[in-house]
Amino acid sequence: MFDLMRYGISSSDIVAESFDGDIVVLDLASGKYFGFSDSGCAAWEALAAGVAVRELRSATSTLGGAAFDSFLSQLLEHELLTPRDDEAGGELTHELRDRIINAKEAPEIFMFDDLADLFKADPIHDVEEQTGWPIKKSR
């Protein structure tokens, strides 16, 4: 179902950062943040760069089964990725291919919302001008 598709980051509200090979993705609109297993980190990088799913599947059996389909479905469900309309996209680098091949875990996504209120807070714009912080603006 996904094989012919290319994906990209769904909006400017989705930001990702790599920390020593681990990826953290933050949805600024919802305040949720996401982490991935080792193969999930490499798959995220490839998918966000527009690598075709077919190319990922052909690289290794790690991304060929139901676990990868579930992983990709969750990325779409959480609106982290969206299908791309254009045919052009990224190529799977040797470094990413090696990381996928050497992964010890199936691709998984982990969602956290424990800091959502802090991520969504806008203390500069969410206060009454006359009283300031910590009095929130009434809506």
Side-chain angles (χ1 to χ4, degrees):
M1 161 172 130
F2 300 115
D3 279 1
L4 300 176
M5 298 297 298
R6 291 183 187 273
Y7 296 89
I9 295 176
S10 63
S11 77
S12 61
D13 284 337
I14 307 300
V15 294
E17 188 68 39
S18 175
F19 300 96
D20 294 326
D22 288 329
I23 304 286
V24 175
V25 176
L26 173 60
D27 180 347
L28 296 170
S30 72
K32 295 176 183 173
Y33 63 101
F34 303 83
F36 309 109
S37 61
D38 57 355
S39 64
C41 287
W44 164 266
E45 286 184 57
L47 290 166
V51 174
V53 171
R54 176 179 22 197
E55 189 174 354
L56 284 173
R57 288 191 195 281
S58 68
T60 175
S61 61
T62 305
L63 300 181
F68 178 69
D69 289 345
S70 175
F71 175 77
L72 182 52
S73 291
Q74 289 177 63
L75 293 174
L76 296 170
E77 178 183 314
H78 290 293
E79 298 178 352
L80 302 177
L81 294 178
T82 189
R84 293 173 60 149
D85 293 331
D86 59 345
E87 292 294 318
E91 297 296 321
L92 186 61
T93 65
H94 292 293
E95 186 264 333
L96 275 176
R97 183 184 316 269
D98 289 345
R99 285 181 40 212
I100 293 168
I101 290 170
N102 294 319
K104 295 176 178 33
E105 305 164 313
E108 289 186 77
I109 183 172
F110 309 103
M111 190 269 303
F112 305 93
D113 62 1
D114 54 323
L115 300 174
D117 290 340
L118 292 174
F119 286 133
K120 293 189 317 185
D122 185 358
I124 293 173
H125 298 100
D126 275 352
V127 296
E128 294 288 347
E129 286 186 41
Q130 302 303 320
T131 55
W133 187 259
I135 309 299
K136 286 189 82 169
K137 194 184 294 186
S138 56
R139 300 202 188 240

